Amino acid sequence: MPKLLIVTDAWRPQINGVVRSIENLVRDLEPLGVEVDVLSPAEFRTVPLPGYPEIRLALATPWRVSRRIADSNPDFIQIATEGPLGLLARRAALKRNGFTTSYHTRFPEYVSARYPIPERWLYGFMRWFHNAGRGCFVVTESLRCELETKGFRNLHIWSRGVDTGLYRPGYPAPLDLRRPVFLHVGRIAVEKNVETFLAMDLPGSKLVVGDGPMLEEFRTRYPEVTFTGAKSGAELAALYAMGDVFVFPSLTDTFGLVLLEALASGVPFAAYPVSGPLDILGDSGAGVVDQDLRKATLACLDVSKDIARARAMDFSWSACARQFMDATYQSYGVNQAG
Protein backbone atom coordinates (compact mmCIF):
# COMPACT_ATOMS: atom_id res chain seq x y z
CA MET A 1 0.00 0.00 0.00
CA PRO A 2 1.53 3.36 -1.01
CA LYS A 3 1.86 5.93 1.73
CA LEU A 4 1.22 9.65 1.26
CA LEU A 5 2.26 12.36 3.70
CA ILE A 6 0.31 15.62 3.41
CA VAL A 7 1.98 18.65 4.98
CA THR A 8 -0.36 21.55 5.64
CA ASP A 9 -0.28 24.79 7.63
CA ALA A 10 -4.08 25.00 7.30
CA TRP A 11 -5.87 22.52 9.52
CA ARG A 12 -8.64 22.12 12.05
CA PRO A 13 -10.25 24.02 13.72
CA GLN A 14 -9.90 26.40 10.75
CA ILE A 15 -12.88 26.41 8.40
CA ASN A 16 -11.83 27.10 4.83
CA GLY A 17 -11.54 25.55 1.41
CA VAL A 18 -8.02 24.21 1.94
CA VAL A 19 -8.97 22.33 5.10
CA ARG A 20 -12.15 20.92 3.55
CA SER A 21 -10.26 19.83 0.43
CA ILE A 22 -7.66 17.96 2.46
CA GLU A 23 -10.24 16.37 4.76
CA ASN A 24 -12.19 15.03 1.81
CA LEU A 25 -9.03 13.87 0.06
CA VAL A 26 -7.92 11.92 3.14
CA ARG A 27 -11.35 10.29 3.42
CA ASP A 28 -11.54 9.25 -0.24
CA LEU A 29 -7.94 8.04 -0.67
CA GLU A 30 -8.41 5.18 1.80
CA PRO A 31 -10.85 3.28 -0.49
CA LEU A 32 -8.23 3.64 -3.22
CA GLY A 33 -5.73 1.73 -1.10
CA VAL A 34 -3.60 4.73 -0.13
CA GLU A 35 -2.37 5.20 3.44
CA VAL A 36 -2.43 8.88 4.40
CA ASP A 37 -0.51 10.70 7.14
CA VAL A 38 -1.09 14.41 7.87
CA LEU A 39 1.58 16.72 9.29
CA SER A 40 -0.20 19.81 10.61
CA PRO A 41 0.08 22.58 13.22
CA ALA A 42 -1.82 20.30 15.64
CA GLU A 43 1.53 18.65 16.44
CA PHE A 44 3.29 21.88 17.49
CA ARG A 45 2.98 24.94 19.65
CA THR A 46 1.35 27.70 17.61
CA VAL A 47 0.95 31.46 17.52
CA PRO A 48 -1.87 33.43 15.90
CA LEU A 49 -1.26 34.95 12.48
CA PRO A 50 -1.35 38.77 12.84
CA GLY A 51 -4.68 40.03 11.57
CA TYR A 52 -6.08 36.47 11.42
CA PRO A 53 -6.13 35.12 14.99
CA GLU A 54 -8.17 32.10 13.88
CA ILE A 55 -5.18 30.97 11.80
CA ARG A 56 -2.42 29.45 13.93
CA LEU A 57 1.19 29.22 12.74
CA ALA A 58 3.29 26.26 13.87
CA LEU A 59 6.45 26.95 15.87
CA ALA A 60 8.44 24.12 14.33
CA THR A 61 12.16 23.56 13.80
CA PRO A 62 13.96 22.09 10.77
CA TRP A 63 15.16 19.12 12.80
CA ARG A 64 11.73 18.29 14.18
CA VAL A 65 10.02 18.44 10.78
CA SER A 66 12.81 16.42 9.16
CA ARG A 67 12.56 13.80 11.91
CA ARG A 68 8.78 13.66 11.59
CA ILE A 69 9.03 13.05 7.83
CA ALA A 70 11.67 10.38 8.34
CA ASP A 71 9.51 8.62 10.94
CA SER A 72 6.53 8.68 8.58
CA ASN A 73 8.69 7.31 5.75
CA PRO A 74 6.18 8.12 3.00
CA ASP A 75 6.39 7.12 -0.63
CA PHE A 76 4.98 10.50 -1.66
CA ILE A 77 4.99 13.93 0.00
CA GLN A 78 2.36 16.54 -0.84
CA ILE A 79 3.03 20.05 0.52
CA ALA A 80 -0.30 21.83 0.54
CA THR A 81 0.68 25.28 1.82
CA GLU A 82 3.53 27.76 1.64
CA GLY A 83 3.59 28.50 5.40
CA PRO A 84 6.14 27.60 8.10
CA LEU A 85 5.52 23.84 7.92
CA GLY A 86 5.43 23.91 4.13
CA LEU A 87 8.77 25.70 3.96
CA LEU A 88 10.45 23.33 6.43
CA ALA A 89 8.99 20.28 4.71
CA ARG A 90 10.19 21.57 1.33
CA ARG A 91 13.73 21.77 2.67
CA ALA A 92 13.58 18.24 4.11
CA ALA A 93 11.83 16.69 1.10
CA LEU A 94 14.48 18.01 -1.31
CA LYS A 95 16.94 15.70 0.48
CA ARG A 96 14.64 12.71 -0.03
CA ASN A 97 12.64 11.68 -3.09
CA GLY A 98 11.13 15.09 -3.76
CA PHE A 99 7.57 16.34 -3.27
CA THR A 100 4.51 17.73 -4.97
CA THR A 101 2.65 20.91 -4.07
CA SER A 102 -0.80 22.42 -4.49
CA TYR A 103 -1.63 25.95 -5.56
CA HIS A 104 -4.63 26.43 -3.27
CA THR A 105 -4.49 30.17 -2.74
CA ARG A 106 -3.64 33.28 -4.75
CA PHE A 107 -1.07 34.16 -2.12
CA PRO A 108 0.46 37.15 -4.00
CA GLU A 109 -2.92 38.82 -4.49
CA TYR A 110 -3.98 38.12 -0.89
CA VAL A 111 -0.82 39.62 0.60
CA SER A 112 -0.81 42.61 -1.75
CA ALA A 113 -4.39 43.37 -0.73
CA ARG A 114 -3.23 43.82 2.87
CA TYR A 115 0.38 45.03 2.64
CA PRO A 116 2.36 47.23 0.19
CA ILE A 117 4.33 44.33 -1.31
CA PRO A 118 4.48 44.08 -5.13
CA GLU A 119 2.80 41.00 -6.54
CA ARG A 120 5.81 40.28 -8.81
CA TRP A 121 8.04 39.79 -5.74
CA LEU A 122 5.54 37.39 -4.25
CA TYR A 123 5.17 35.48 -7.51
CA GLY A 124 8.95 35.10 -7.50
CA PHE A 125 8.69 33.42 -4.10
CA MET A 126 5.84 31.21 -5.30
CA ARG A 127 7.81 30.04 -8.34
CA TRP A 128 10.79 29.26 -6.10
CA PHE A 129 8.56 27.25 -3.78
CA HIS A 130 6.50 25.29 -6.29
CA ASN A 131 8.94 24.77 -9.17
CA ALA A 132 11.34 22.89 -6.90
CA GLY A 133 8.83 20.06 -6.62
CA ARG A 134 8.05 17.20 -8.96
CA GLY A 135 4.64 18.66 -9.76
CA CYS A 136 2.25 21.40 -8.73
CA PHE A 137 -1.48 20.63 -8.59
CA VAL A 138 -3.91 23.35 -9.69
CA VAL A 139 -7.67 23.29 -9.51
CA THR A 140 -8.71 24.35 -13.02
CA GLU A 141 -7.41 24.43 -16.59
CA SER A 142 -7.70 28.22 -16.72
CA LEU A 143 -5.52 28.55 -13.62
CA ARG A 144 -2.96 26.19 -15.15
CA CYS A 145 -2.78 28.36 -18.29
CA GLU A 146 -2.46 31.50 -16.19
CA LEU A 147 0.34 30.12 -14.01
CA GLU A 148 2.22 28.75 -17.02
CA THR A 149 2.43 32.31 -18.39
CA LYS A 150 3.93 33.33 -15.03
CA GLY A 151 6.70 30.74 -15.23
CA PHE A 152 5.28 27.83 -13.21
CA ARG A 153 6.22 24.33 -14.38
CA ASN A 154 4.94 20.74 -14.13
CA LEU A 155 1.32 21.73 -13.52
CA HIS A 156 -1.38 19.05 -13.10
CA ILE A 157 -5.13 19.35 -12.61
CA TRP A 158 -6.62 18.35 -9.25
CA SER A 159 -10.24 19.49 -9.14
CA ARG A 160 -12.66 19.65 -6.20
CA GLY A 161 -15.97 18.05 -5.28
CA VAL A 162 -19.04 18.55 -3.11
CA ASP A 163 -21.11 16.44 -0.74
CA THR A 164 -24.45 16.45 -2.54
CA GLY A 165 -26.04 14.48 0.29
CA LEU A 166 -25.36 17.16 2.88
CA TYR A 167 -25.76 20.17 0.60
CA ARG A 168 -29.20 19.86 -0.99
CA PRO A 169 -32.49 21.70 -1.29
CA GLY A 170 -35.36 20.99 1.07
CA TYR A 171 -34.10 21.96 4.53
CA PRO A 172 -36.59 23.90 6.69
CA ALA A 173 -35.58 27.59 6.63
CA PRO A 174 -33.71 28.37 9.88
CA LEU A 175 -34.34 32.14 9.57
CA ASP A 176 -37.34 34.25 8.63
CA LEU A 177 -35.97 36.63 6.01
CA ARG A 178 -37.70 38.67 3.36
CA ARG A 179 -37.39 37.19 -0.14
CA PRO A 180 -35.39 37.07 -2.28
CA VAL A 181 -32.47 36.04 -0.08
CA PHE A 182 -29.03 36.92 -1.45
CA LEU A 183 -26.44 34.72 0.23
CA HIS A 184 -22.69 34.80 0.74
CA VAL A 185 -20.62 32.19 2.59
CA GLY A 186 -16.92 32.63 3.28
CA ARG A 187 -14.23 34.33 5.30
CA ILE A 188 -15.00 37.97 6.06
CA ALA A 189 -11.70 39.54 5.03
CA VAL A 190 -10.48 42.29 2.73
CA GLU A 191 -9.17 39.98 0.02
CA LYS A 192 -12.60 38.36 -0.36
CA ASN A 193 -14.12 41.67 -1.56
CA VAL A 194 -17.25 41.00 0.52
CA GLU A 195 -18.06 44.70 0.85
CA THR A 196 -18.88 44.88 -2.86
CA PHE A 197 -21.81 42.58 -2.09
CA LEU A 198 -22.76 44.33 1.15
CA ALA A 199 -22.94 47.73 -0.55
CA MET A 200 -25.16 46.54 -3.43
CA ASP A 201 -28.67 47.91 -3.80
CA LEU A 202 -30.76 44.73 -3.90
CA PRO A 203 -34.34 43.80 -3.06
CA GLY A 204 -35.17 41.36 -0.26
CA SER A 205 -32.49 40.34 2.25
CA LYS A 206 -28.76 39.73 2.46
CA LEU A 207 -27.43 36.79 4.46
CA VAL A 208 -23.71 36.41 5.23
CA VAL A 209 -22.27 33.26 6.81
CA GLY A 210 -18.68 33.15 8.05
CA ASP A 211 -16.09 34.58 10.42
CA GLY A 212 -13.09 36.78 9.76
CA PRO A 213 -11.19 39.89 10.80
CA MET A 214 -13.76 42.30 9.30
CA LEU A 215 -16.92 40.66 10.66
CA GLU A 216 -17.56 43.02 13.56
CA GLU A 217 -16.80 46.11 11.48
CA PHE A 218 -19.27 45.03 8.81
CA ARG A 219 -21.91 44.17 11.41
CA THR A 220 -21.72 47.77 12.61
CA ARG A 221 -21.64 49.36 9.16
CA TYR A 222 -24.35 47.18 7.59
CA PRO A 223 -26.99 46.59 10.29
CA GLU A 224 -29.60 45.60 7.70
CA VAL A 225 -27.52 42.52 6.74
CA THR A 226 -27.96 39.25 8.65
CA PHE A 227 -24.55 37.96 9.78
CA THR A 228 -24.55 34.48 11.36
CA GLY A 229 -20.85 33.90 11.98
CA ALA A 230 -19.27 30.58 11.01
CA LYS A 231 -21.51 27.54 10.69
CA SER A 232 -20.89 23.93 9.70
CA GLY A 233 -22.63 20.66 8.97
CA ALA A 234 -26.40 20.54 8.65
CA GLU A 235 -26.73 24.02 10.14
CA LEU A 236 -24.63 25.46 7.32
CA ALA A 237 -26.43 23.36 4.71
CA ALA A 238 -29.80 24.69 5.87
CA LEU A 239 -28.56 28.26 5.51
CA TYR A 240 -27.36 27.52 1.98
CA ALA A 241 -30.72 26.01 1.07
CA MET A 242 -32.66 29.14 2.03
CA GLY A 243 -30.74 31.27 -0.47
CA ASP A 244 -32.21 32.41 -3.77
CA VAL A 245 -28.90 33.64 -5.22
CA PHE A 246 -25.35 33.04 -4.04
CA VAL A 247 -23.19 36.13 -4.55
CA PHE A 248 -19.44 35.52 -4.96
CA PRO A 249 -17.57 38.85 -5.18
CA SER A 250 -14.04 37.44 -4.86
CA LEU A 251 -11.50 38.22 -7.56
CA THR A 252 -8.69 36.17 -6.03
CA ASP A 253 -9.98 32.66 -5.23
CA THR A 254 -8.55 29.85 -7.33
CA PHE A 255 -11.80 27.88 -7.28
CA GLY A 256 -14.43 28.53 -4.61
CA LEU A 257 -15.74 25.38 -2.93
CA VAL A 258 -18.63 27.48 -1.66
CA LEU A 259 -19.84 27.77 -5.26
CA LEU A 260 -20.25 24.00 -5.49
CA GLU A 261 -21.98 23.90 -2.10
CA ALA A 262 -24.40 26.60 -3.24
CA LEU A 263 -25.16 24.81 -6.51
CA ALA A 264 -25.72 21.52 -4.68
CA SER A 265 -28.23 23.38 -2.51
CA GLY A 266 -30.09 24.47 -5.62
CA VAL A 267 -28.79 28.05 -5.44
CA PRO A 268 -27.42 29.63 -8.66
CA PHE A 269 -24.39 31.88 -8.26
CA ALA A 270 -23.45 35.35 -9.47
CA ALA A 271 -19.76 36.14 -9.86
CA TYR A 272 -17.18 38.09 -11.79
CA PRO A 273 -15.90 36.38 -14.97
CA VAL A 274 -12.67 35.10 -13.40
CA SER A 275 -10.90 31.76 -12.96
CA GLY A 276 -12.92 29.53 -10.66
CA PRO A 277 -16.46 30.74 -11.33
CA LEU A 278 -15.92 30.47 -15.10
CA ASP A 279 -14.57 26.93 -14.78
CA ILE A 280 -17.36 25.76 -12.48
CA LEU A 281 -20.09 27.38 -14.54
CA GLY A 282 -18.94 26.10 -17.94
CA ASP A 283 -21.89 26.10 -20.31
CA SER A 284 -24.30 24.80 -17.66
CA GLY A 285 -26.37 27.95 -17.25
CA ALA A 286 -26.28 27.38 -13.47
CA GLY A 287 -25.31 30.98 -12.74
CA VAL A 288 -24.36 34.30 -14.26
CA VAL A 289 -20.94 35.94 -14.52
CA ASP A 290 -20.55 39.60 -15.44
CA GLN A 291 -18.21 42.51 -14.75
CA ASP A 292 -21.33 44.20 -13.37
CA LEU A 293 -21.88 41.96 -10.35
CA ARG A 294 -25.23 43.53 -9.44
CA LYS A 295 -26.50 42.82 -12.96
CA ALA A 296 -25.36 39.21 -12.66
CA THR A 297 -26.96 38.91 -9.23
CA LEU A 298 -30.38 40.09 -10.37
CA ALA A 299 -30.19 37.92 -13.51
CA CYS A 300 -29.69 34.85 -11.30
CA LEU A 301 -33.23 35.24 -9.99
CA ASP A 302 -34.35 33.77 -13.32
CA VAL A 303 -32.05 30.72 -13.12
CA SER A 304 -33.70 27.40 -12.28
CA LYS A 305 -32.76 25.76 -8.98
CA ASP A 306 -32.91 22.42 -10.78
CA ILE A 307 -30.23 23.56 -13.24
CA ALA A 308 -28.03 24.68 -10.34
CA ARG A 309 -28.40 21.34 -8.58
CA ALA A 310 -27.75 19.39 -11.78
CA ARG A 311 -24.43 21.18 -12.30
CA ALA A 312 -23.25 20.24 -8.79
CA MET A 313 -23.90 16.58 -9.54
CA ASP A 314 -21.05 16.71 -12.06
CA PHE A 315 -18.54 17.02 -9.19
CA SER A 316 -17.64 14.22 -6.78
CA TRP A 317 -14.92 13.95 -4.15
CA SER A 318 -14.12 10.34 -5.06
CA ALA A 319 -13.29 11.37 -8.64
CA CYS A 320 -11.10 14.16 -7.27
CA ALA A 321 -9.17 11.67 -5.12
CA ARG A 322 -8.49 9.47 -8.14
CA GLN A 323 -7.38 12.52 -10.10
CA PHE A 324 -5.03 13.50 -7.25
CA MET A 325 -3.34 10.11 -7.21
CA ASP A 326 -3.07 10.00 -11.01
CA ALA A 327 -1.24 13.35 -10.85
CA THR A 328 0.94 12.10 -8.00
CA TYR A 329 2.00 8.93 -9.84
CA GLN A 330 2.69 10.94 -12.97
CA SER A 331 4.75 13.51 -11.06
CA TYR A 332 6.87 10.80 -9.44
CA GLY A 333 7.16 8.78 -12.64
CA VAL A 334 5.45 5.77 -11.08
CA ASN A 335 3.82 3.10 -13.22
CA GLN A 336 0.45 2.52 -11.52
CA ALA A 337 0.23 -0.98 -12.90
CA GLY A 338 3.39 -1.79 -11.00
Side-chain angles (χ1 to χ4, degrees):
M1 176 183 291
K3 184 174 185 180
L4 169 72
L5 174 66
I6 299 175
V7 183
T8 177
D9 291 277
W11 198 235
R12 310 176 186 119
Q14 292 180 43
I15 301 173
N16 57 45
V18 177
V19 175
R20 291 204 302 277
S21 295
I22 296 172
E23 286 176 332
N24 284 285
L25 178 64
V26 171
R27 181 196 66 204
D28 288 316
L29 283 178
E30 183 177 352
L32 299 181
V34 179
E35 180 183 355
V36 184
D37 186 10
V38 178
L39 172 56
S40 77
E43 301 180 32
F44 305 89
R45 288 181 53 222
T46 61
V47 294
L49 176 66
Y52 285 96
E54 68 271 23
I55 297 178
R56 308 286 301 188
L57 300 178
L59 296 176
T61 63
W63 180 87
R64 195 170 167 194
V65 170
S66 180
R67 183 72 264 169
R68 173 68 169 79
I69 292 174
D71 289 343
S72 180
N73 193 29
D75 299 291
F76 312 113
I77 298 174
Q78 158 71 197
I79 303 177
T81 54
E82 305 91 349
L85 286 180
L87 287 165
L88 292 174
R90 177 188 182 278
R91 174 179 173 178
L94 284 172
K95 300 176 182 178
R96 296 174 59 90
N97 193 31
F99 59 95
T100 60
T101 63
S102 294
Y103 199 97
H104 284 283
T105 304
R106 291 185 182 274
F107 180 74
E109 287 84 351
Y110 277 23
V111 173
S112 291
R114 300 183 65 85
Y115 304 104
I117 303 176
E119 285 185 17
R120 67 180 185 278
W121 294 3
L122 296 164
Y123 270 110
F125 163 76
M126 296 290 274
R127 283 191 297 271
W128 169 84
F129 185 92
H130 291 279
N131 283 351
R134 289 176 169 269
C136 174
F137 301 169
V138 298
V139 73
T140 64
E141 184 61 39
S142 64
L143 182 61
R144 173 159 68 178
C145 293
E146 177 187 334
L147 291 180
E148 282 179 343
T149 67
K150 295 182 183 294
F152 289 76
R153 303 190 301 266
N154 302 323
L155 301 176
H156 304 270
I157 301 295
W158 170 38
S159 188
R160 301 294 186 271
V162 63
D163 183 344
T164 55
L166 174 63
Y167 298 102
R168 54 177 173 77
Y171 285 93
L175 300 172
D176 183 15
L177 297 179
R178 185 162 50 95
R179 295 287 178 177
V181 174
F182 297 96
L183 170 69
H184 176 76
V185 178
R187 192 166 67 251
I188 314 302
V190 63
E191 69 273 6
K192 296 294 187 178
N193 196 31
V194 181
E195 191 164 16
T196 294
F197 167 51
L198 299 177
M200 276 185 196
D201 179 17
L202 295 171
S205 306
K206 295 174 184 172
L207 173 61
V208 176
V209 182
D211 277 332
M214 302 189 75
L215 176 58
E216 294 309 317
E217 177 185 342
F218 285 160
R219 273 181 166 151
T220 300
R221 290 172 52 192
Y222 297 95
E224 74 282 4
V225 177
T226 300
F227 294 91
T228 69
K231 302 295 179 181
S232 61
E235 190 175 12
L236 172 60
L239 289 168
Y240 267 114
M242 71 175 295
D244 293 295
V245 176
F246 187 89
V247 185
F248 189 71
S250 175
L251 294 164
T252 58
D253 280 67
T254 58
F255 190 73
L257 280 178
V258 291
L259 297 177
L260 291 184
E261 291 167 355
L263 292 177
S265 304
V267 183
F269 70 80
Y272 289 108
V274 295
S275 175
L278 283 173
D279 296 278
I280 292 172
L281 185 60
D283 59 0
S284 68
V288 181
V289 294
D290 198 293
Q291 290 293 354
D292 184 337
L293 188 59
R294 181 177 182 273
K295 178 181 176 182
T297 298
L298 293 173
C300 274
L301 291 172
D302 296 324
V303 176
S304 162
K305 287 182 173 290
D306 290 339
I307 291 176
R309 172 75 176 174
R311 179 55 174 165
M313 301 303 288
D314 292 335
F315 296 84
S316 75
W317 281 115
S318 59
C320 294
R322 290 192 296 271
Q323 189 180 44
F324 176 92
M325 285 312 300
D326 286 345
T328 299
Y329 291 133
Q330 184 178 350
S331 296
Y332 275 84
V334 174
N335 182 351
Q336 297 180 53

